[in-house]
Amino acid sequence: MGSQCSKPLLCCRVSKHKASMLTAPDAGNEEKKEVSYSSTFREFTLEQLKNATCGFAVENIVSENGEKAPNVVYKGKLENQQRIAVKRFNRTAWPNAKQFVDEARLVSQLHSHRLVKLIGCCWEDDERLLVAEYMPNNTLAKHLFHWETHPLKWAMRLRVVLRVAQALEYLTSKGRALYHDLNPYRVLFDEDGNPTLSCFGLMKSSGNGNTYSTNLAFAPPEFLKTGKVTPEGLIYSFGTLLLDVLSGKHIPPSHALDLIRDRNLDMLTDSFLEGQFANDARTELVRLASRCLQYEPQERPNAKSLVAALIPLHKENEVPSHVLMGIALSSSFSPQTPLGEACSRMDLTAIHEILEEMGYKDDEGIANELSFQMWTDEMQESFSSKKKGDADFRQKDFKTAIDCYSQFIDAGTMVSPTLFARRSLSHLMCDSPQEALKDAMQAQVISPVWHIASYLQAAALFALKMETEALVALKEASVLEAQWNPTDGK
């Protein structure tokens, strides 16, 4: 099933495991953050991360090349609603578990607004996983190479390269000048549209670190000779990033340098940027890229000088990133569909009408699964409890519906996401929002792309007075619903 799947999984056996509640980092000043982040580095269990990512569902893969990538990154959500990114290394990476954990702890102690925060890790048997904050507004690569509505503005491109340079300067000051494979997929945008550098590049993909995952045409010359990642090689990679930002394409450095030598800057410039920049600003960006791409490592600039050169180019400091990016903040988001509006105003009666009208049509094929299980009297009795629960749900006897649905679920039967959705709403009707949230999350475990599950999570979070988290869930549900077409025949 691909990432654009338009149907929920038909059914799934219910997990009995409940992940423990985890504490999000304190949102104080940077000095306080350092203490907080160090103390909240978590050693997750594999079961916790399975639950958070819906069983490492393919729908939750956010890394380039999907499940074919050597190390796969998933988006996920902990029970306290904190959104996370989970990097799952391949089975041969990090054979030494202690070395892996020690390195992860060191990376977690870095704290900068320019760097995504590493909050934990997991090692069980031969599994090695990193857990970081989730950045919801895609990668620089997505906004440069695969944009859908409008290309990235010149002012935002300058902000990106400045903040990446500031991240590199910070890392250098902390003795972490080795960053592996800097490229547009390593630059992420937070919920406010601010560009940040992924912390995953600080953890090498193998025990000796002699890896370079992108096309070798973009690798520093010295890497091709020695196979070693160096601080000077990082500056070379930053030069390729400058070219990506200017051109809107992933141009091999050798070709770009030919264009620069021929003074053919128009061929090197994204045509969508026409009229957005002064020629001297473009010239300076090209000059910086040329310096970074010098063949001899010692002739390249350092991160501090890059920051000093980029600051004067960034003119629109007062404009928020989300404005430049054209991103609607969750706090100002208004759903446009009947279900979204009902959840936003906590109209439980309207939600009930929508769920009742929907029935089980999103669980296509579930009847066949259940008929197979009805071969025994025990399964027949279990299925009867579900039928009675449906009748009680229809008649708005929500307390009895909860009891009947629970009897069916506790029998260990194959359970559909719609049934969890119905029990979730029943809990809301009975003023049990925490139980409602658990059921809505379980529905999402069964079907990661089902918008109903996210809408019900939003409703439960509103009831729990967790408005910020509810708004995020509401926006997420709206995005999923826009991709959802139950009549498309897929």
Side-chain angles (χ1 to χ4, degrees), residues 137 156 159 189-195 321-322 325 327 329:
N137 284 308
M156 194 64 211
R159 183 169 298 180
F189 295 88
D190 68 15
E191 61 184 7
D192 296 323
N194 295 313
S321 292
H322 76 270
M325 295 282 289
I327 294 171
L329 297 179

Side-chain angles (χ1 to χ4, degrees), residues 451-469:
H451 59 290
I452 304 292
S454 292
Y455 273 130
L456 287 170
Q457 287 177 49
L461 290 164
F462 277 126
L464 289 166
K465 310 300 182 187
M466 298 173 66
E467 185 168 341
T468 300
E469 293 82 359

Side-chain angles (χ1 to χ4, degrees), residues 123 166 353 412 424 429 471:
W123 74 101
Q166 289 171 332
E353 291 175 358
S424 175
M429 290 289 194
L471 288 169

Side-chain angles (χ1 to χ4, degrees), residues 102-381:
D102 289 346
E103 185 72 6
R105 284 189 177 278
L106 288 174
V107 173
S108 76
Q109 292 170 9
L110 299 169
H111 60 105
S112 168
H113 293 307
R114 305 293 183 254
L115 187 69
V116 178
K117 185 64 198 168
L118 185 70
I119 61 176
C121 70
C122 169
W123 74 101
E124 287 188 19
D125 300 325
D126 56 353
E127 290 279 5
R128 303 289 183 266
L129 303 105
L130 297 175
V131 182
E133 297 171 325
Y134 177 61
M135 301 289 108
N137 284 308
N138 293 311
T139 65
L140 176 61
K142 169 75 172 179
H143 292 287
L144 281 179
F145 312 140
H146 313 293
W147 51 272
E148 297 172 357
T149 54
H150 56 79
L152 205 60
K153 294 180 179 178
W154 173 253
M156 194 64 211
R157 299 188 195 206
L158 289 178
R159 183 169 298 180
V160 167
V161 294
L162 171 59
R163 296 199 175 184
V164 172
Q166 289 171 332
L168 300 184
E169 182 184 20
Y170 168 77
L171 292 174
T172 302
S173 73
K174 295 296 182 180
R176 302 288 310 200
L178 289 182
Y179 188 94
H180 301 263
D181 204 8
L182 176 65
N183 62 65
Y185 293 93
R186 296 285 199 194
V187 183
L188 311 168
F189 295 88
D190 68 15
E191 61 184 7
D192 296 323
N194 295 313
T196 55
L197 185 62
S198 171
C199 58
F200 291 153
L202 291 163
M203 293 282 288
K204 50 187 176 290
S205 319
S206 68
N208 58 19
N210 294 340
T211 58
Y212 205 87
S213 61
T214 54
N215 189 316
L216 290 179
F218 297 86
E222 62 271 22
F223 179 85
L224 301 178
K225 294 179 179 179
T226 67
K228 298 291 184 180
V229 176
T230 65
E232 294 79 15
L234 176 56
I235 299 300
Y236 185 94
S237 295
F238 183 77
T240 68
L241 188 72
L242 289 176
L243 295 177
D244 294 334
V245 166
L246 178 62
S247 66
K249 304 179 184 68
H250 204 35
I251 300 177
S254 58
H255 178 55
L257 289 172
D258 287 341
L259 292 174
I260 293 171
R261 277 190 288 266
D262 293 340
R263 300 184 182 278
N264 195 348
L265 299 190
D266 287 340
M267 285 289 292
L268 195 59
T269 306
D270 193 334
S271 60
F272 290 103
L273 294 175
E274 186 175 352
Q276 294 188 35
F277 59 85
N279 282 331
D280 57 345
R282 179 178 65 175
T283 301
E284 177 62 10
L285 208 63
V286 170
R287 186 187 70 83
L288 287 176
S290 299
R291 290 183 61 205
C292 291
L293 296 173
Q294 290 295 308
Y295 185 85
E296 296 297 336
Q298 65 271 19
E299 295 180 5
R300 299 169 197 157
N302 57 35
K304 186 174 182 179
S305 64
L306 287 173
V307 170
L310 288 167
I311 285 177
L313 301 182
H314 187 216
K315 302 293 186 183
E316 300 188 36
N317 300 316
E318 72 287 351
V319 182
S321 292
H322 76 270
V323 173
L324 292 175
M325 295 282 289
I327 294 171
L329 297 179
S330 297
S331 58
S332 61
F333 174 75
S334 298
Q336 303 297 316
T337 63
L339 183 55
E341 291 176 353
C343 289
S344 65
R345 65 177 186 268
M346 285 299 290
D347 187 343
L348 300 184
T349 300
I351 298 174
H352 176 263
E353 291 175 358
I354 293 170
L355 289 187
E356 179 58 31
E357 181 181 354
M358 179 188 74
Y360 284 85
K361 67 182 180 182
D362 283 335
D363 296 333
E364 195 173 280
I366 194 69
N368 292 333
E369 294 285 348
L370 292 174
S371 63
F372 176 80
Q373 297 179 28
M374 288 167 60
W375 288 359
T376 68
D377 293 339
E378 184 179 351
M379 284 297 103
Q380 177 67 58
E381 181 180 349

